[in-house]
Structures are given as C-alpha cells and as structure tokens.
Amino acid sequence: MIRRLLLGAAVSIVLFTVGVAGLGWKPYVVMSESMSPAMHAGDLVFVDPNAQSVAQYEIVTYNGPPGPITQRVVSQRADGALTVKGDAAAATDSPTVERKKVVGPVRLILPHVGWPVMQVRTHPVKIALGALLLALLIPGRRIFGLLLLGGLVAVVAMVPTTG
C-alpha cells in the first residue's frame, strides 16, 4: 500500500513536471534563502526561457559564476543589463547581469516540492544509505526495489538547482 502511494506520488510529480516543461519552462530547485520570503530553500521554480522581456521587480534566473542564480530585478539599463538583488539581502549585487546571461523570469513557484532534490544534493551519502536500507527492508522483489529507488535518486539528483 505504502509503495503504491509513493509510486503514485512520484509518477504524478513527473507527469506534472513534464507537462509544465511542455510549455518550454525549465525547472530549478532553490537551494538558498536569498529570496525569502518570496521563495525558500527547497521550493521548485519554473523559469520561462522563451520570455521576450523582463520587467522591473520580476524574479529572474540567470547564469552566474557559481551556476544559476535566482533574484529580483531592481532596475534595467538601456542596454538591457539588469541590476538584481535577493529579497533577503540589504543591498543590490554589485555587477550588473548582462541580458544574454538571463535564463528567464520565474513563472511558477511550488513550495517545498524540491525538498527531495535539496536533500540529495546536500546529503548524498545519507540518502543513498537510507534508500539502500529501505530497499532491503521491503519484502519481496528486492532487486526491483533497489532499481526503483536508485532510479528515483538519480532522477532527483539531475534536477538543476539555483542559489
């Protein structure tokens, strides 16, 4: 019964994500509190890379030096460069973001849905050991359970993250 519920939840999440991705939106899991209270670590956000423009005060994801970063647009210069700031930060980020580095604006925020991804990224050994232990404790079809859990952990680990 529990296995069916977990499998059903996993399939529902995958189908929803594929459906939203059908719009061309890219999923990212928020890994920091830099945008709180608008979004928190563990939230799943969908970014629209096909957006033609970005408005002031809109939340955008851009490719920064450490990887994708999600912050709010404070202002925009005539050449399209953006001044951005995390909602939790007191000051704006010093370098502006070139328009070509912007992935797109955030279109949808799903609170806490990215929590499993955050756990896999921050505690990979604990998650792997827990999944192995759980697969060994489930009676019958242990190989199938191991493959299913291993596949789920692998899929979760592949979801891109943003700071």
Side-chain angles (χ1 to χ4, degrees):
M1 178 72 169
I2 293 174
R3 189 173 9 183
R4 287 184 185 163
L5 286 174
L6 289 173
L7 185 59
V11 168
S12 298
I13 290 170
V14 168
L15 289 176
F16 176 77
T17 303
V18 168
V20 171
L23 296 170
W25 296 356
K26 293 183 176 184
Y28 290 90
V29 174
V30 178
M31 296 294 287
S32 74
E33 291 290 331
S34 68
M35 279 301 297
S36 73
M39 61 183 68
H40 299 279
D43 290 354
L44 178 66
V45 297
F46 288 91
V47 176
D48 182 3
N50 300 316
Q52 299 300 314
S53 62
V54 175
Q56 188 172 356
Y57 304 117
E58 196 166 26
I59 300 172
V60 298
T61 298
Y62 63 93
N63 292 314
I69 299 171
T70 300
Q71 294 188 328
R72 191 174 303 279
V73 175
V74 176
S75 65
Q76 186 170 348
R77 294 191 325 212
D79 66 354
L82 306 174
T83 302
V84 295
K85 170 186 169 307
D87 286 358
T92 61
D93 290 355
S94 53
T96 57
V97 177
E98 299 173 29
R99 182 67 174 109
K100 67 181 181 181
K101 291 187 176 184
V102 175
V103 177
V106 172
R107 296 292 189 215
L108 179 64
I109 301 169
L110 299 176
H112 312 295
V113 174
W115 182 83
V117 174
M118 194 174 81
Q119 295 305 310
V120 168
R121 292 288 176 96
T122 57
H123 309 293
V125 174
K126 288 180 183 177
I127 296 297
L129 290 175
L132 178 63
L133 182 63
L134 185 62
L136 292 174
L137 292 176
I138 295 175
R141 300 192 187 140
R142 287 199 174 130
I143 297 295
F144 177 73
L146 281 170
L147 290 174
L148 181 64
L149 282 170
L152 234 76
V153 169
V155 167
V156 164
M158 289 190 290
V159 175
T161 59
T162 179

